[in-house]
C-alpha cells in the first residue's frame, strides 16, 4: 500500500507513530545511552574547577578552612602535599578514600604525571583495583553481577601549584562517580512502558481522528456519487466540523444546482425546439397537400406561407448551430474595417417588407458614419438578433428605435422597444443559453432562447461592452459599445 494514496487513517497513524519514534529515540539517547557520559563529563568539569579554586587561593591564610568547606560541599577528598610527600592540608570525607592510602611512590608518580602534562593530571579507575578481589565469578551460573558491578568508579585529579614563596605543592582531589546502572535500569523499564503506551495512543488517536476527519468526506463522496449518476437533485448538507469540508459541500451543492438548472433548460429546449420544428413542418405539409389536392389553392399566397415557414425552420436550425460553434470556441473572429452605420442601415432595409405588411415602425438615428474593426458577419447576426427580439417583444405601437451615439472614440448602438420589458430579477439570466422569460409557448413568438446567448458570445469575442436596460411595462433597450476606427 503506497502512503501517497493511503486512507487518512493509516496516514495519520504513520505520522503520529513517526513523531512518537523521534521523541522516544531522543529521550532514549539522552536518558539511557548518553546518561553516563553526560554525568561523567559533568563530574570531571567539577573536579577540575574545584582544583583550580584551591590553586587560586593557595596563598590565603584561611586556605585550610576553604579546603574543608570544598570537601564537604562537593563530596571530595582533598590533600595538598609538598614535594617531600608531607601533607600540608587535608580534608577527608569519603569513607573509602584512596589518596590517603597511597604510598610515597604512588604520590610521586602522580606528581611526575602532572609535571609531564600541563601541570594537571586526571586518572579514572575502578575502585575494585584497590580492594582485594572478593569475587570469585567462576563456577556460578546465571546472571551473576560482575566484580566491579555496583562499585563506584573513582577519579583522581592532581594539579601542581607554586606558592608565592616559590614552594611547589601538589593538590590531589579524589571524587567518586556513582554507578548509573540502577538508574538506567529503571529508566529502561519506564521507557518501554512509555513506548508501548505512546504507540497504542498513536493508534487510538489516529483511528479516532481519521474517523472524525474522514466521516464527513465519505458522506460527501457518497452524495457526489449519486450526483455523478445523474441525480441532479442531490443535496449536500453541511456535514459540519471543518471549514474546508463545509466549503466543499457548498461548492458541490452549487454545482448540483447548476447542473439541474442546465438539465431543466435542456429538457425545456428539446420540448420547445421539437414544438418549434413541428409547427412549421405541419404548416408546410398542410399547405403543400392543400395545393396538390385542390387546384384552386395552388396560388402565390399559399406558396409564401410555405416559404415563410421554411425560413423559420432555417433560422431555428441556424441559431442552434451558430451557438454551438461559438461555444466550442472554434469560431475565430474574421476582423475587418467596415462602415457600421451603413451596415446597420442595410440590415434594417431588409425589414421594409415587414414594416409595410405588419405596420412595424423601425427608425434608425445616426449623426455620421463610423468605421469599426469587427467581424461584419457576426456583428450583423448580433444586430439581427437584437432587432428580431425587439420586433417580437415590442408593444402594441410596434415601434422600434435603433440609435447610434458616438462618444470618446467609441460608438454605442442601442435598440429600444416599447414592449413589456423584463423583470429585474431575470435581467442577468436572459443572456444564458435556452433562457426564456415567458415559459408559456406562444405561437407567434418563436424562440429558442439562444438569440441573446449568441449575441453575448459574439460581443465577448469582440471585447465589447454590452448590456440591457429595461422597465417592466415600458420596454427594453439593448446596447453594445465598440471602439471606432479612426
Ligand atoms: P428567444 O429566442 O426566446 O428570443 P433570446 O436569447 O433572444 O431567446 O432571449 C431570451 C429571453 O429574453 C426571451 O425569451 C425573452 O423572454 C427575453 N427578451 C429578449 N429580448 C427581449 C425584449 N426586447 N423585450 C423583452 N424580453 C426580451
Amino acid at each position: 500500500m503506497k502512503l501517497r494514496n493511503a486512507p487518512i487513517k493509516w496516514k495519520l497513524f504513520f505520522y503520529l507513530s513517526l513523531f512518537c519514534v523521534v521523541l522516544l529515540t531522543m529521550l532514549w539517547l539522552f536518558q539511557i545511552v548518553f546518561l553516563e557520559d553526560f554525568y561523567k563529563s559533568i563530574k570531571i568539569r567539577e573536579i577540575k574547577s574545584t582544583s583550580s579554586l584551591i590553586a587560586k587561593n593557595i596563598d590565603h591564610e584561611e586556605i585550610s578552612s576553604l579546603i574543608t568547606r570544598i570537601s564537604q560541599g562537593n563530596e571530595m577528598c582533598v590533600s595538598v602535599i609538598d614535594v617531600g610527600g608531607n601533607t600540608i592540608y587535608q580534608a577527608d570525607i569519603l569513607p573509602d578514600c584512596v589518596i590517603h592510602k597511597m604510598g610515597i611512590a604512588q604520590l610521586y608518580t602522580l606528581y611526575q604525571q602532572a609535571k609531564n602534562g600541563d601541570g594537571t593530571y586526571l586518572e579514572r579507575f575502578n575502585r575494585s583495583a584497590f580492594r582485594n578481589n572478593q569475587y570469585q565469578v567462576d563456577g556460578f551460573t546465571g546472571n551473576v553481577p560482575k566484580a566491579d558491578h555496583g562499585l563506584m568508579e573513582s577519579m583522581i585529579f592532581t594539579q601542581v601549584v607554586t606558592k608565592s614563596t616559590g614552594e611547589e605543592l601538589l593538590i590531589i582531589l579524589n571524587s567518586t562517580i556513582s554507578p548509573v546502572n540502577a538508574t538506567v535500569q529503571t529508566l529502561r523499564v519506564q521507557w518501554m512502558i512509555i513506548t508501548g503506551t505512546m504507540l497504542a495512543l498513536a493508534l487510538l488517536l489516529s483511528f479516532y481522528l481519521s474517523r472524525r476527519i474522514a466521516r464527513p468526506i465519505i458522506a460527501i463522496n457518497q452524495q457526489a456519487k449519486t450526483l455523478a449518476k445523474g441525480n441532479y437533485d442531490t443535496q449536500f448538507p453541511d456535514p459540519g466540523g471543518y471549514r474546508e469540508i463545509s466549503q466543499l459541500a457548498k461548492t458541490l451543492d452549487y454545482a448540483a444546482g447548476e447542473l439541474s438548472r442546465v438539465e431543466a433548460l435542456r429538457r425545456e429546449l428539446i420540448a420547445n425546439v421539437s414544438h418549434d420544428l413541428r409547427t412549421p413542418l405541419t404548416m408546410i405539409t398542410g399547405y403543400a397537400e392543400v395545393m396538390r389536392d385542390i387546384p384552386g389553392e395552388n396560388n402565390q399566397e399559399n406558396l409564401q406561407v410555405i416559404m415563410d415557414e421554411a425560413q423559420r425552420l432555417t433560422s431555428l436550425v441556424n441559431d442552434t448551430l451558430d451557438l454551438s460553434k461559438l461555444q466550442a470556441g472554434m469560431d475565430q473572429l474574421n476582423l475587418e474595417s467596415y462602415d457600421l452605420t451603413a451596415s446597420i442601415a442595410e440590415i434594417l432595409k431588409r425589414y421594409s417588407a415587414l414594416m409595410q405588411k405588419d405596420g412595424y415602425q423601425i427608425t434608425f438615428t445616426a449623426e455620421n458614419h463610423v468605421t469599426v474593426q469587427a467581424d461584419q458577419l457576426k456583428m450583423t447576426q448580433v444586430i439581427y438578433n437584437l432587432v428580431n427580439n425587439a420586433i417580437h417583444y415590442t408593444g402594441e405601437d410596434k415601434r422600434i428605435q435603433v440609435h447610434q451615439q458616438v462618444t470618446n472614440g467609441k460608438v454605442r448602438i442601442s435598440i429600444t422597444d416599447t414592449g413589456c420589458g423584463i423583470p429585474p430579477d431575470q435581467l442577468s439570466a436572459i443572456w444564458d443559453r435556452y433562457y426564456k422569460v415567458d415559459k408559456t409557448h406562444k405561437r407567434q413568438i418563436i424562440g429558442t432562447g439562444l438569440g441573446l446567448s449568441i449575441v453575448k458570445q459574439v460581443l465577448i469575442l469582440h471585447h465589447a461592452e454590452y448590456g440591457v436596460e429595461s422597465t417592466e411595462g415600458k420596454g427594453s433597450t439593448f446596447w453594445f459599445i465598440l471602439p471606432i476606427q479612426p
Side-chain angles (χ1 to χ4, degrees):
M1 179 171 48
K2 282 208 184 113
L3 190 65
R4 186 198 283 237
N5 281 324
I8 293 181
K9 181 163 62 191
W10 292 116
K11 265 198 171 169
L12 267 178
F13 178 61
F14 175 78
Y15 288 121
L16 278 175
S17 308
L18 195 71
F19 175 74
C20 288
V21 166
V22 172
L23 192 76
L24 292 169
T25 311
M26 294 274 286
L27 273 175
W28 182 73
L29 281 179
F30 283 99
Q31 298 252 295
I32 297 177
V33 178
F34 298 131
L35 181 66
E36 193 157 3
D37 293 334
F38 277 138
Y39 172 63
K40 279 181 183 162
S41 74
I42 287 168
K43 278 292 211 183
I44 290 169
R45 219 179 311 145
E46 188 183 273
I47 205 167
K48 283 181 177 169
S49 73
T50 309
S51 170
S52 78
L53 178 68
I54 296 172
K56 254 186 239 159
N57 294 291
I58 198 72
D59 287 321
H60 200 283
E61 49 196 30
E62 293 294 326
I63 181 70
S64 120
S65 85
L66 175 71
I67 286 173
T68 314
R69 219 183 301 163
I70 285 172
S71 158
Q72 281 166 352
N74 296 355
E75 288 196 9
M76 283 177 200
C77 277
V78 186
S79 175
V80 181
I81 57 172
D82 63 11
V83 276
N86 306 310
T87 306
I88 312 293
Y89 311 108
Q90 82 165 42
D92 238 339
I93 187 113
L94 302 174
D96 215 6
C97 173
V98 283
I99 47 180
H100 303 299
K101 293 194 186 118
M102 283 181 173
I104 186 82
Q106 277 170 313
L107 289 175
Y108 187 71
T109 321
L110 283 178
Y111 171 72
Q112 278 303 323
Q113 273 158 334
K115 273 298 223 188
N116 292 344
D118 59 348
T120 63
Y121 173 68
L122 175 77
E123 186 179 335
R124 278 162 51 189
F125 54 91
N126 201 303
R127 199 166 293 194
S128 65
F130 279 83
R131 282 187 179 175
N132 297 328
N133 197 350
Q134 311 149 349
Y135 282 82
Q136 288 298 323
V137 185
D138 301 335
F140 297 119
T141 50
N143 192 11
V144 180
K146 296 205 184 83
D148 58 355
H149 185 88
L151 285 176
M152 285 188 278
E153 205 183 329
S154 215
M155 195 159 55
I156 291 180
F157 186 76
T158 43
Q159 182 172 0
V160 180
V161 62
T162 315
K163 282 187 77 162
S164 56
T165 56
E167 188 190 358
E168 252 188 2
L169 296 177
L170 186 66
I171 303 169
I172 311 172
L173 295 174
N174 180 204
S175 167
T176 54
I177 299 172
S178 317
V180 290
N181 280 359
T183 320
V184 169
Q185 276 300 335
T186 319
L187 285 176
R188 194 170 288 158
V189 174
Q190 285 185 351
W191 183 78
M192 279 179 200
I193 295 170
I194 291 174
T195 309
T197 320
M198 289 300 270
L199 284 180
L201 261 179
L203 195 65
L204 276 178
L205 206 64
S206 54
F207 270 93
Y208 171 71
L209 281 179
S210 66
R211 270 175 67 99
R212 285 211 50 174
I213 296 171
R215 201 189 292 153
I217 299 176
I218 292 169
I220 284 188
N221 192 26
Q222 290 296 342
Q223 299 286 85
K225 274 183 191 157
T226 65
L227 177 68
K229 278 186 194 138
N231 184 2
Y232 299 134
D233 294 332
T234 310
Q235 302 249 316
F236 290 88
D238 185 354
Y242 316 94
R243 194 191 302 163
E244 291 84 350
I245 292 174
S246 298
Q247 280 167 354
L248 177 65
K250 268 191 210 128
T251 310
L252 283 170
D253 226 14
Y254 178 72
E258 284 295 292
L259 278 173
S260 75
R261 204 171 66 89
V262 170
E263 176 65 9
L265 287 174
R266 190 184 65 82
R267 277 171 210 231
E268 205 180 284
L269 170 85
I270 291 175
N272 285 347
V273 167
S274 43
H275 182 274
D276 288 347
L277 287 176
R278 210 164 10 174
T279 324
L281 281 175
T282 319
M283 297 273 277
I284 290 169
T285 34
Y287 271 80
E289 271 172 17
V290 167
M291 284 165 75
R292 184 195 62 195
D293 298 341
I294 307 167
E297 287 296 313
N298 198 342
N299 59 25
Q300 203 74 16
E301 244 169 75
N302 286 352
L303 213 56
Q304 189 59 45
V305 173
I306 291 178
M307 280 174 68
D308 285 349
E309 293 300 319
Q311 191 56 47
R312 259 194 232 268
L313 277 179
T314 313
S315 62
L316 205 62
V317 172
N318 281 348
D319 264 14
T320 319
L321 285 180
D322 281 352
L323 187 78
S324 53
K325 251 198 276 172
L326 277 171
Q327 292 230 322
M330 298 289 282
D331 234 6
Q332 249 107 45
L333 284 184
N334 187 12
L335 290 180
E336 56 180 320
S337 288
Y338 74 97
D339 187 335
L340 179 70
T341 321
S343 165
I344 295 175
E346 181 64 32
I347 295 165
L348 294 180
K349 231 192 252 172
R350 296 182 211 163
Y351 286 96
S352 54
L354 193 75
M355 287 157 79
Q356 274 176 10
K357 196 171 110 218
D358 293 340
Y360 282 99
Q361 240 193 313
I362 305 176
T363 52
F364 179 38
T365 45
E367 276 174 4
N368 43 17
H369 279 245
V370 292
T371 307
V372 291
Q373 169 100 351
D375 186 322
Q376 188 171 0
L377 215 65
K378 291 206 178 66
M379 288 311 295
T380 304
Q381 173 90 57
V382 166
I383 292 154
Y384 256 125
N385 284 2
L386 291 178
V387 173
N388 277 341
N389 275 356
I391 290 171
H392 284 151
Y393 298 104
T394 197
E396 292 298 316
D397 60 359
K398 299 189 171 179
R399 274 159 56 131
I400 293 124
Q401 265 179 297
V402 181
H403 183 58
Q404 173 192 298
Q405 192 186 350
V406 177
T407 32
N408 294 336
K410 287 181 176 177
V411 56
R412 181 182 195 267
I413 303 292
S414 59
I415 294 114
T416 308
D417 65 65
T418 58
C420 57
I422 301 158
D425 56 324
Q426 316 224 11
L427 269 183
S428 58
I430 55 167
W431 305 93
D432 290 353
R433 249 212 284 199
Y434 311 137
Y435 191 85
K436 291 170 142 201
V437 175
D438 191 358
K439 309 276 169 172
T440 55
H441 206 83
K442 294 185 201 143
R443 170 69 190 106
Q444 59 270 50
I445 300 177
I446 281 192
T448 48
L450 292 175
L452 286 180
S453 181
I454 294 170
V455 168
K456 178 181 162 183
Q457 294 281 331
V458 172
L459 290 175
I460 287 177
L461 271 177
H462 280 90
H463 303 292
E465 286 176 63
Y466 65 93
V468 55
E469 280 128 31
S470 188
T471 324
E472 261 188 288
K474 288 219 175 116
S476 325
T477 299
F478 285 80
W479 58 267
F480 64 87
I481 296 174
L482 282 177
I484 296 176
Q485 272 256 298

